[in-house]
Amino acid sequence: MKHYSLPPKPKNSAFKKIRNIGITILVVAMYVWTFLSINIDWGRAIERAANNFSRVIPRLFSPDWAATSDVAMSMLETVFIAFAGSLMAAVIAVPLAFLAARNMMGGVIASTIGKWILSAVRAFPDIILAILFVVAVGPNAFAGVLAIAIGSTGMLGKMFSEIIESIDMNVVEAMEASGANKLQILFYGVLPQITPEFLSYAIYRFEVDIRASSILGIVGAGGIGTMIIFASSNRNWNEMGTILLAIIIVVTIIDFASARIRRKIV
Amino acid sequence: MTNENNSVTTKKVPSIYPAKTKIQVTVIFFVVLGIYLFSMTWTQQQMVGGFSGAFQNVFQVIEKFFPPNTAVISAIWGPMVETIQMAIIATTVAAILTVPLALLAAQNVTTFKPLYYITRTFLNLLRTIPDLVLAVIFVGLFGIGLFPGILALIIFSLGILAKLISETIESVDMNPLEAMRASGGNVLQVIWYALIPQVLPQFTSLVLYVFEINIRASVVLGLVGAGGIGLILNQQLGFYNYPNAMMIIILIFVVVIVIEYISTKIREALL
């Protein structure tokens, strides 16, 4: 009878071992530092929770139906903010994406500049942008539109530029060889390849923006966030329940619709 | 004869797109444009001074916010560190809690269909609630502080992480698992030697990605009283102390960029 034995284990090199030990030490140090220096007042939190539980949780689950029409109007405004913002972003992102894509404007320098602009824009959380725009244009829904537009431009620009970089360049070369000018190449060589995916990402971003715009009102930029902040400062948890329900329903519907549309496009 | 000639010369090049698609696209374009214009007028209706007035204000804002007050950096460094720690704790707890949830939400592991659908629906519901709304509720429940913030981050990131990881689990190569089962490996051995090696790099990468998301989310949680640097930002905005607020915003910007850069590099090395 043949004797089977396990195959030899792959040997780790010394470098890999040292690297792994180093990573482990770093991670452990990070956790020790975190848990030693953070101070959570457990006693107070638990005491508060025990006091507030019956006042908050049951009331969240019994929505205030009288507020339905107000909540619906605010939610509608939220959808409009997200729609206007995403569409603006989708338009602004296109030239930036062409700038950032390595195979279009020519040159690594243009691409690097474009990528830097996009990642700088992306680093600002939406709500910080909303704070800036509320100071600029006043506490209204348009500040929210601008915040969403700028915030989405970063991510959409990055996605668009990656799509442009992944197109089939043979088509473009063939057109160049047969004497097409730049504009013809753009319209017949590049755009047909990128349009479906551009649309798909723009619609996906609209989904994300619905969630984002529903909280912008916390800093005064319109939409349902305004109601959230009023309901929480009035301790009106029934109304909060209605708001929560509205957000969940609208976000679910839009997610579903957007997934259906995107599946059709691509 | 002449007639035929005419028809040949005036004949247009046929379009590559069918007429039906053209009409559809045109209609969709105008509907989208219409909703856009309506949204723009709707959102601007409460605005004083209108569109042009707003853009004149932008320069006023720059005047208000600049130059940022660099003297506050020592005072805001503590809260900033606290914010990062909030994100670290929340990401860790979410990464642990996500394992059973992700397994339950993976179609190839959870063969019991009702359980799979229940977990999926639960995760979908969880993901619809924005992070700040969770924070508002937890602040109402636990009072102002770090704890409600961490809890909001955990629940918020759990929804995203469990979905992404369950998709990773669903896309693993099932052959090694079957081979191991066929050669007599028990459930634990199959998971340990066949599933985990396939999932671990993506798992780590996704956890880091969620950590990035948590950093962004945690810097603003303080706006509703859930701890971290946002609390200070909210105070300074309340005092109309814009140079201080700008310094905080710049610090947030720098920290987010640095952490995202490190995280992206690690993720590139992993995959």
Side-chain angles (χ1 to χ4, degrees):
Chain A
M1 191 182 143
K2 244 181 174 179
H3 181 72
Y4 291 100
S5 67
L6 285 170
K9 277 194 172 180
K11 274 194 180 138
N12 280 346
S13 64
F15 167 73
K16 261 191 174 173
K17 268 182 191 163
I18 292 170
R19 196 192 63 180
N20 287 348
I21 292 170
I23 291 173
T24 317
I25 290 173
L26 267 180
V27 170
V28 170
M30 189 185 78
Y31 278 117
V32 169
W33 167 71
T34 300
F35 283 100
L36 285 185
S37 57
I38 205 150
N39 58 337
I40 296 172
D41 195 344
W42 289 106
R44 214 181 108 242
I46 290 168
E47 189 201 308
R48 275 292 199 86
N51 277 338
N52 289 347
F53 189 84
S54 59
R55 260 180 291 171
V56 178
I57 300 298
R59 289 174 66 181
L60 271 182
F61 289 99
S62 59
D64 176 13
W65 300 115
T68 313
S69 64
D70 284 349
V71 170
M73 282 314 270
S74 290
M75 203 62 222
L76 196 65
E77 191 177 70
T78 304
V79 175
F80 285 148
I81 292 174
F83 187 84
S86 323
L87 195 59
M88 253 192 221
V91 174
I92 305 171
V94 174
L96 282 172
F98 273 95
L99 183 67
R102 214 170 300 134
N103 52 351
M104 283 294 134
M105 299 297 241
V108 187
I109 302 167
S111 154
T112 318
I113 294 173
K115 289 211 161 102
W116 270 99
I117 296 175
L118 289 173
S119 54
V121 172
R122 250 194 345 268
F124 282 104
D126 289 334
I127 215 155
I128 302 278
L129 287 170
I131 290 173
L132 295 176
F133 282 119
V134 163
V135 179
V137 303
N140 52 52
F142 190 61
V145 174
L146 291 176
I148 293 285
I150 303 295
S152 310
T153 302
M155 182 264 197
L156 276 182
K158 181 176 179 250
M159 292 299 180
F160 284 3
S161 74
E162 277 167 11
I163 295 167
I164 296 172
E165 279 175 1
S166 72
I167 64 168
D168 182 2
M169 287 303 276
N170 292 338
V171 179
V172 175
E173 271 165 36
M175 289 185 80
E176 244 165 31
S178 53
N181 64 28
K182 288 265 177 203
L183 216 60
Q184 283 170 328
I185 292 175
L186 180 69
F187 275 102
Y188 295 102
V190 180
L191 283 186
Q193 290 192 54
I194 57 179
T195 313
E197 274 170 282
F198 268 31
L199 287 177
S200 166
Y201 272 108
I203 294 169
Y204 169 70
R205 187 62 209 187
F206 175 57
E207 255 178 71
V208 178
D209 285 341
I210 289 278
R211 290 182 173 87
S213 66
S214 65
I215 53 177
L216 289 183
I218 289 175
V219 295
I224 201 152
T226 322
M227 292 194 83
I228 293 175
I229 210 72
F230 282 140
S232 90
S233 48
N234 294 335
R235 302 273 179 272
N236 191 346
W237 296 108
N238 298 91
E239 197 180 301
M240 188 69 96
T242 323
I243 295 168
L244 214 53
L245 196 65
I247 292 179
I248 290 174
I249 292 173
V250 169
V251 170
T252 310
I253 291 174
I254 288 187
D255 277 9
F256 184 73
S258 138
R260 284 291 288 273
I261 296 173
R262 279 186 288 142
R263 215 175 302 145
K264 227 180 161 184
I265 290 177
V266 176
Chain B
M1 189 68 197
T2 46
N3 244 348
E4 245 185 83
N5 251 343
N6 263 345
S7 73
V8 169
T9 47
T10 54
K11 197 180 168 192
K12 278 185 186 169
V13 182
S15 173
I16 46 170
Y17 299 111
K20 199 187 157 204
T21 320
K22 274 185 173 173
I23 293 168
Q24 260 181 354
V25 170
T26 316
V27 168
I28 292 172
F29 176 75
F30 279 108
V31 167
V32 168
L33 193 69
I35 301 176
Y36 175 70
L37 291 177
F38 185 71
S39 320
M40 287 300 270
T41 46
W42 177 289
T43 51
Q44 284 176 41
Q45 63 188 357
Q46 310 140 331
M47 207 157 76
V48 193
F51 199 77
S52 56
F55 281 93
Q56 282 163 8
N57 275 348
V58 171
F59 293 101
Q60 254 180 302
V61 176
I62 294 172
E63 248 168 62
K64 278 187 205 163
F65 277 106
F66 285 93
N69 181 8
T70 45
V72 292
I73 223 176
S74 57
I76 57 179
W77 188 245
M80 190 70 235
V81 169
E82 211 174 61
T83 311
I84 298 171
Q85 289 172 333
M86 274 168 71
I88 291 176
I89 295 179
T91 311
T92 314
V93 176
I96 295 166
L97 291 181
T98 201
V99 173
L101 270 179
L103 284 174
L104 284 177
Q107 210 164 3
N108 54 349
V109 177
T110 308
T111 38
F112 184 54
K113 280 277 160 303
L115 195 60
Y116 162 77
Y117 283 117
I118 289 170
T119 330
R120 268 280 143 116
T121 316
F122 173 68
L123 288 177
N124 284 341
L125 277 183
L126 215 55
R127 266 181 303 122
T128 58
I129 307 172
D131 46 353
L132 270 179
V133 177
L134 286 172
V136 166
I137 294 169
F138 287 132
V139 166
L141 196 58
F142 297 104
I144 287 169
L146 286 178
F147 183 64
I150 294 174
L151 210 56
L153 284 182
I154 290 173
I155 294 188
F156 170 70
S157 44
L158 197 59
I160 304 174
L161 200 55
K163 179 177 183 264
L164 293 174
I165 290 176
S166 70
E167 276 164 12
T168 312
I169 295 175
E170 277 177 1
S171 70
V172 297
D173 182 5
M174 290 303 277
N175 292 336
L177 277 80
E178 273 163 32
M180 229 163 254
R181 217 173 282 146
S183 54
N186 63 28
V187 177
L188 278 179
Q189 281 172 327
V190 168
I191 289 179
W192 186 255
Y193 289 104
L195 189 61
I196 288 183
Q198 286 193 62
V199 174
L200 199 59
Q202 271 96 335
F203 180 81
T204 323
S205 166
L206 291 174
V207 167
L208 281 171
Y209 169 67
V210 166
F211 178 60
E212 279 172 43
I213 294 180
N214 273 343
I215 286 278
R216 283 150 174 283
S218 65
V219 293
V220 295
L221 281 182
L223 290 174
V224 296
I229 194 144
L231 212 60
I232 319 282
L233 180 60
N234 205 20
Q235 274 171 11
Q236 295 305 319
L237 285 171
F239 299 151
Y240 299 105
N241 196 340
Y242 291 120
N244 282 2
M246 196 62 209
M247 194 61 234
I248 296 172
I249 290 174
I250 289 175
L251 185 68
I252 289 175
F253 177 74
V254 171
V255 167
V256 169
I257 284 213
V258 169
I259 288 183
E260 281 199 358
Y261 181 78
I262 297 171
S263 158
T264 313
K265 284 289 156 208
I266 298 177
R267 280 164 53 200
E268 272 169 17
L270 273 171
L271 295 180

